[in-house]
Amino acid sequence: MVDQKVHEIILASIQKPVVGEAGKTGSWSRFKPKIDLDKCTVVKMNKDVCHFCWLYCPEPIISRTIPPKINYEYCKGCGICAEVCPPKAIKMVEESEL
Ligand code: SF4
Ligand code: SF4
């Protein structure tokens, strides 16, 4: 596992696009990511030790908080966050299941 200090330096150096830069992308897909907080590493450890979902979301509309929160208004339903989540805590579900 990467040292916490190194992890923070890497994350702080990353440049992200502005929320809403591509318009209201929330209507692009009927599938949305749902986080199972019982499986999420940062929630379980109460520490900023993962946040891969925040890092890889192309929008970026997942907060780097504990727990991570998703802004569905701009989520395009690409599923990248679900793919990169190490413990598979994110599942893509129909919007009605949120
Ligand atoms: S990638 Fe998965 S485990 Fe990591 S912070 Fe996001 S939801 Fe939690
Ligand atoms: S599916 Fe996940 S990675 Fe894709 S836009 Fe929505 S929150 Fe971001």
Side-chain angles (χ1 to χ4, degrees), residues 17-98:
V18 176
V19 173
E21 211 165 44
K24 287 259 171 119
T25 45
S27 60
W28 284 15
S29 169
R30 63 177 216 267
F31 292 99
K32 300 285 179 214
K34 185 177 183 182
I35 304 176
D36 180 346
L37 298 181
D38 291 335
K39 288 188 186 168
C40 173
T41 312
V42 297
V43 173
K44 280 164 72 173
M45 296 179 76
N46 196 30
K47 242 173 150 184
D48 181 16
V49 289
C50 177
H51 282 126
F52 274 29
C53 51
W54 167 83
L55 182 61
Y56 286 97
C57 174
E59 276 310 306
I61 43 80
I62 301 182
S63 66
R64 196 178 153 197
T65 53
I66 303 171
K69 293 200 176 112
I70 299 167
N71 181 343
Y72 290 110
E73 203 174 348
Y74 296 101
C75 170
K76 58 174 84 161
C78 65
I80 291 173
C81 54
E83 283 297 318
V84 299
C85 175
K88 297 290 169 210
I90 304 177
K91 293 269 177 287
M92 298 303 290
V93 299
E94 293 262 4
E95 221 165 354
S96 57
E97 291 177 49
L98 291 174

